Amino acid sequence: MINKDLKVAVLGAGAMGCLFGGLLAEKGLNVILIDVWKEHIEAINKNGLIMDGHGGNRVIKVKATNEPSKLNIVDAVIVMCKATVLEPALNSIKNIIGEKT
């Protein structure tokens, strides 16, 4: 059984981050995608996450942000960003990491 109260942040909303984050959101988890690409984040928030191919073409409603400093603590973080930006990306989400994250 899925705990739908579980808050999951996906750090890096590229192809793989959107795939995993989208699938988790589709199953009912409370997911927030985090990325620095402002236009991409705005498009996801406005139009939903467009999933093509895996499981059929569809639009998934999922939250996205490029301002992790405005988020609250989450239960889990999935890191899907490139190694070249890993350190600054992790530094940008320190506020969402709690004692039990």
Side-chain angles (χ1 to χ4, degrees):
M1 179 174 245
I2 295 176
N3 178 355
K4 295 190 179 197
D5 294 327
L6 188 70
K7 296 179 191 118
V8 179
V10 178
L11 181 60
M16 296 309 292
C18 284
L19 173 64
F20 287 102
L23 291 174
L24 291 172
E26 188 173 48
K27 294 298 180 188
L29 272 78
N30 183 356
V31 175
I32 181 89
L33 302 173
I34 302 169
D35 203 279
V36 295
W37 186 10
K38 185 177 179 183
E39 295 82 9
H40 182 54
I41 294 302
E42 289 172 349
I44 292 169
N45 285 326
K46 180 180 178 185
N47 306 315
L49 179 62
I50 300 168
M51 294 278 274
D52 291 332
H54 184 83
N57 299 341
R58 62 214 183 272
V59 176
I60 299 169
K61 287 292 180 191
V62 62
K63 294 174 276 184
T65 187
N66 64 340
E67 298 179 290
S69 63
K70 294 182 177 181
L71 299 176
N72 294 319
I73 291 173
V74 297
D75 297 301
V77 177
I78 299 172
V79 179
M80 299 300 287
C81 58
K82 293 182 177 19
T84 55
V85 297
L86 183 59
E87 187 174 352
L90 290 173
N91 284 329
S92 76
I93 63 162
K94 287 181 179 180
N95 62 296
I96 69 171
I97 307 294
E99 187 177 308
K100 295 184 180 183
T101 301

